[in-house]
Amino acid sequence: MLAKVLPNVIDYGIIGILLVLSIAVVAISLERYVFYRNLNITDFQDIKSLELILTRRLFLVASVGANAPYVGLLGTVLGIMLTFYNMGTDVAMDTGKIMTGLALALKATAVGLIVALVAVVLYNALLRKVRVLMLEWEIANGRKAV
C-alpha cells in the first residue's frame, strides 16, 4: 500500500509545490512589470524611496530561483528512496521497474531546475529595469545615488 501511495505524494506534493512557486514567480513578475510601466519616477523626491518601491517583492522571485532546485532534489531523493524500498520488499523486481522508478524520481529535479531558470531570468530582467529606472531618476534630478 505504501509503495502505491508514495509516488503520488512525490508527484503531486513536490511537483505541486514547484508549480505553485512557478505561478507565484510569474504573477509577481507580471505585476512588477505592469507597475514599472505605469510608474512616474518624477513623483519621488529621493532615490531611496524610489528604490524601496521598485524592489518590493523581488526577494520572492530571487528566493524561488535559489531554492527551487533544492525542492526538486528533495523529490528526487524521496523517489530514489522509494525505489530502493520497493527493491528491498520485492526480491524478484525486474530491472524495468527499477529504471522506471529512478527515471520518475529524476523528473522532480528537472522540474525544479526549470522553475529556477525561469525565476532567475525574470529576476535579472526585473532587476535590470529597476536599475534603469533609478538611473533615469538620477539623470532627471541631476543627483547621484548615495
Side-chain angles (χ1 to χ4, degrees), residues 5 36 65 76 88 93 106 121 125:
V5 174
Y36 296 157
T76 297
M93 183 180 246
L106 290 172
V121 167

Side-chain angles (χ1 to χ4, degrees), residues 37-107:
R37 285 190 57 149
N38 296 326
L39 182 70
N40 185 2
I41 59 172
T42 59
D43 293 343
F44 294 88
Q45 298 300 317
D46 63 292
I47 196 158
K48 294 300 180 185
S49 60
L50 176 63
E51 184 176 10
L52 277 175
I53 197 131
L54 289 175
T55 58
R56 187 173 291 156
R57 288 186 287 282
L58 288 186
F59 73 94
L60 293 170
V61 178
S63 295
V64 170
N67 292 304
Y70 297 117
V71 175
L73 185 60
L74 174 64
T76 297
V77 169
L78 292 174
I80 290 172
M81 287 172 52
L82 177 64
T83 300
F84 286 149
Y85 173 81
N86 289 337
M87 287 170 52
T89 59
D90 186 5
V91 178
M93 183 180 246
D94 64 78
T95 57
K97 282 187 177 180
I98 295 170
M99 292 302 126
T100 301
L102 295 176
L104 291 177
L106 290 172
K107 77 178 172 184

Side-chain angles (χ1 to χ4, degrees), residues 120-140:
V120 169
V121 167
L122 290 173
Y123 176 74
N124 286 334
L126 292 170
L127 199 58
R128 169 71 179 143
K129 185 64 177 170
V130 165
R131 289 182 180 145
V132 166
L133 288 170
M134 290 177 63
L135 285 173
E136 288 175 353
W137 184 91
E138 288 177 10
I139 292 167

Side-chain angles (χ1 to χ4, degrees), residues 16-28 64 114-115 118-119 122:
I17 290 169
L18 289 168
L19 180 64
V20 168
L21 291 174
S22 179
I23 291 169
V25 163
V26 170
I28 291 169
V64 170
I114 291 168
V115 171
V118 170
L122 290 173

